[in-house]
Amino acid sequence: VSLSPNIIVFFTSGWEYPYFNHIGWSEEKTLGWSRHKLHYHRRGDTTYIRSLHPQGKNENAHVEAVLKVIEETCP
């Protein structure tokens, strides 16, 4: 089985770095939500989003930020 997602979202605090190092994560953009930031990168047909886990944070602002990135980066 081969997976080819268009969007991959990581809600972690550093566990994603080995994966990004493996795929060659390079330039990224940031978008603020509440007093936090999420980071994103488009590579080929896939948008990668990494952000802190939203638990205990403003979840509505977080959802809005993730959706904004998806709308801007996905055709």
Side-chain angles (χ1 to χ4, degrees):
V1 174
S2 176
L3 301 176
S4 298
N6 292 348
I7 303 163
I8 300 174
V9 182
F10 295 87
F11 292 137
T12 66
S13 296
W15 289 76
E16 70 279 14
Y17 290 115
Y19 177 76
F20 291 146
N21 290 337
H22 177 73
I23 67 166
W25 178 282
S26 57
E27 297 177 35
E28 65 181 16
K29 298 178 182 178
T30 60
L31 177 64
W33 60 276
S34 216
R35 60 176 201 246
H36 309 284
K37 292 182 181 177
L38 63 78
H39 306 270
Y40 62 101
H41 172 77
R42 181 92 174 150
R43 182 179 175 150
D45 293 333
T46 305
T47 296
Y48 298 87
I49 301 170
R50 64 181 181 89
S51 189
L52 294 173
H53 191 283
Q55 183 176 0
K57 299 168 185 72
N58 184 333
E59 292 179 7
N60 289 333
H62 197 206
V63 168
E64 289 175 17
V66 170
L67 290 176
K68 182 174 182 177
V69 169
I70 291 169
E71 289 171 358
E72 288 180 4
T73 62
C74 295

